[in-house]
Amino acid sequence: MKKTVCALAVSLTVLAAGCGNESAAVGAGSDSVAFGGKIQADYDDSGPGSLVSADNLLTIDRRLSGISDIAARVVYTSTSGIDGSATKVSGTIFSPQGRAPEGGWPIVAYGHGTTGVLPDCGPSTDPELLGSSTIVTALVRSGYVVTVSDYQGLGLEGSYHPYLDARTAANNLVDSVRAAQKLVPDTSDRWASFGGSQGGQAAWAANEIAATYGQGLELAGSVSLVPAADITGLARAAAEGTLTADQKPLLQWVLVGLAKSHPEIDLDDYRRGVVEQYWDELSACGGPLAADRTSIAAQIGNDDLEPSTPEAERALEGYLREMSVPQAPATAPMLVMYGGKDTLVSQPWTDGAIAAGCARGDSIQPVLQPEAGHAGIDGAAAFPWLTDRFAGVPATSYCPALPAP
């Protein structure tokens, strides 16, 4: 295993697809990825993680294809975190060149940042994975098989994307690891989750379900950079008119998913003015509708997302709490890096999520960078931390010791 510290790759690209200004999230451009030629793999299994298809990626970022033995666009089976139903999810899988180390290739399930909420917003639709190809290249170069789930509802028609529903994204990450084992020879059962913003939440949640939903796999740890961990504060901020310019379009995308997950929701309890008038444009990530999204998002007023009644605020807060982490004790050590000047995921929200995880007995190494914003995190510590977890080096937890029972 190469002990490469790819700090530049982490700091520049882990959040490029959807952090910083959420209203400027990358959408599928005119250069869509081309794929073709079915790859030999194990297509016989059924159930979560079973492979439906695997095709060679023909136009992926050359920096990534040049170091990959396998570069595939895949469709695999996963599970909805909303109702437990079976779903089909698309994504990409990359494996290093050369001979696998003793015990097989370790796997990193990479959770991408926000790319949108509609089917054309999946990273697998874009040659640069909608901003993620640089960090994926760094991970492959470091000796990992890397999976990049599009997440349910992104990259494929026929479903919807429950944006920031942690359990759904966590299921998708775990099942991408199972899919990789069916595609890439000589893979290990050892894996880690790694992601930023939306993907940071997914990586955290994957850690929580690794011992249950992820049975049969061995989680080494998880890395969450500026995770959208506990998002319940969005409800109160919307009611008080204190949402930041970054949080307003974020909440609008959350509402898009909630309206699908919970049909009982009356969207008109949460949208008016610019948000109601330009709902379709704000929901888009590509095509003509998305052309003016950034400028429209900047016009959202403080009351355009205000819940109509206290009851509507409480209902929204309840939904957001169900979508957040922590929900259960973590399975393996966690590295959580976040910024003190984050205008998308407020520092107190992450502080609270970390404290709640510690109270459950989690092993967490939190790294607060007081002057960093959402897209300005220095992730230099992430790669060596990950290397140590796979090497079996005990992790340091900064959580206070729990009182004796």
Side-chain angles (χ1 to χ4, degrees):
M1 180 74 60
K2 297 179 181 178
K3 197 169 183 178
T4 305
V5 181
C6 300
L8 181 61
V10 174
S11 61
L12 291 182
T13 69
V14 70
L15 312 174
C19 309
N21 188 337
E22 200 75 15
S23 67
V26 181
S30 58
D31 297 326
S32 295
V33 70
F35 53 90
K38 183 177 180 179
I39 301 175
Q40 184 176 357
D42 177 5
Y43 297 100
D44 294 333
D45 288 348
S46 60
S50 58
L51 266 181
V52 177
S53 64
D55 298 282
N56 286 302
L57 286 167
L58 304 179
T59 56
I60 199 68
D61 187 331
R62 291 183 180 180
R63 295 168 299 175
L64 181 51
S65 63
I67 63 168
S68 299
D69 183 54
I70 293 175
R73 198 260 189 177
V74 299
V75 177
Y76 61 95
T77 304
S78 192
T79 306
S80 166
I82 303 297
D83 59 15
S85 62
T87 58
K88 287 184 172 59
V89 178
S90 58
T92 50
I93 296 175
F94 305 90
S95 68
Q97 296 174 346
R99 181 178 297 179
E102 184 177 354
W105 295 113
I107 304 171
V108 171
Y110 178 70
H112 66 80
T114 297
T115 54
V117 293
L118 299 181
D120 60 343
C121 306
S124 72
T125 66
D126 179 73
E128 295 187 353
L129 304 178
L130 295 180
S132 293
S133 63
T134 300
I135 194 166
V136 173
T137 299
L139 288 165
V140 173
R141 195 182 300 278
S142 295
Y144 302 111
V145 168
V146 181
T147 70
V148 186
S149 177
D150 285 341
Y151 308 139
Q152 177 187 315
L154 305 182
L156 284 180
E157 299 283 352
S159 184
Y160 72 95
H161 180 51
Y163 179 54
L164 291 184
D165 178 66
R167 180 58 192 260
T168 296
N171 291 347
N172 297 165
L173 291 193
V174 171
D175 289 328
S176 74
V177 174
R178 294 187 171 116
Q181 291 184 317
K182 294 172 173 57
L183 176 66
V184 181
D186 300 322
T187 48
S188 170
D189 287 333
R190 303 196 71 210
W191 71 289
S193 54
F194 186 127
S197 195
Q198 180 183 13
Q201 182 207 51
W204 185 324
N207 192 327
E208 292 186 350
I209 67 169
T212 52
Y213 187 81
Q215 281 187 336
L217 301 170
E218 183 182 350
L219 183 71
S222 63
V223 175
S224 293
L225 307 187
V226 290
D230 186 346
I231 57 173
T232 57
L234 287 169
R236 174 48 58 94
E240 294 179 342
T242 57
L243 290 168
T244 68
D246 290 334
Q247 290 168 348
K248 291 172 183 176
L250 169 73
L251 178 55
Q252 189 268 335
W253 271 356
V254 168
L255 290 169
V256 172
L258 279 174
K260 298 287 188 178
S261 301
H262 299 278
E264 70 275 12
I265 288 178
D266 183 353
L267 281 176
D268 290 337
D269 280 339
Y270 304 102
R271 62 179 183 180
R272 57 195 56 81
V274 169
V275 173
E276 183 177 16
Q277 182 179 356
Y278 295 103
W279 183 261
D280 291 342
E281 288 82 355
L282 289 168
S283 302
C285 69
L289 282 177
D292 298 323
R293 183 174 188 272
T294 300
S295 60
I296 293 171
Q299 301 172 37
I300 298 175
N302 288 338
D303 58 351
D304 288 349
L305 288 159
E306 181 183 353
S308 60
T309 64
E311 291 75 19
E313 178 192 348
R314 287 193 293 271
L316 177 59
E317 184 175 352
Y319 292 129
L320 296 177
R321 184 174 293 109
E322 292 177 354
M323 297 161 62
S324 296
V325 289
Q327 295 286 341
T331 304
M334 301 169 55
L335 174 66
V336 180
M337 307 182 72
Y338 61 117
K341 294 186 176 180
D342 193 327
T343 56
L344 186 65
V345 182
S346 301
Q347 178 196 330
W349 300 357
T350 308
D351 288 338
I354 291 170
C358 287
R360 294 174 183 268
D362 294 350
S363 172
I364 304 177
Q365 181 178 339
V367 179
L368 172 64
Q369 298 176 13
E371 299 301 315
H374 198 69
I377 287 292
D378 178 0
F383 273 63
W385 188 93
L386 199 61
T387 299
D388 285 347
R389 300 293 76 74
F390 279 111
V393 178
T396 299
S397 176
Y398 289 84
C399 290
L402 295 179

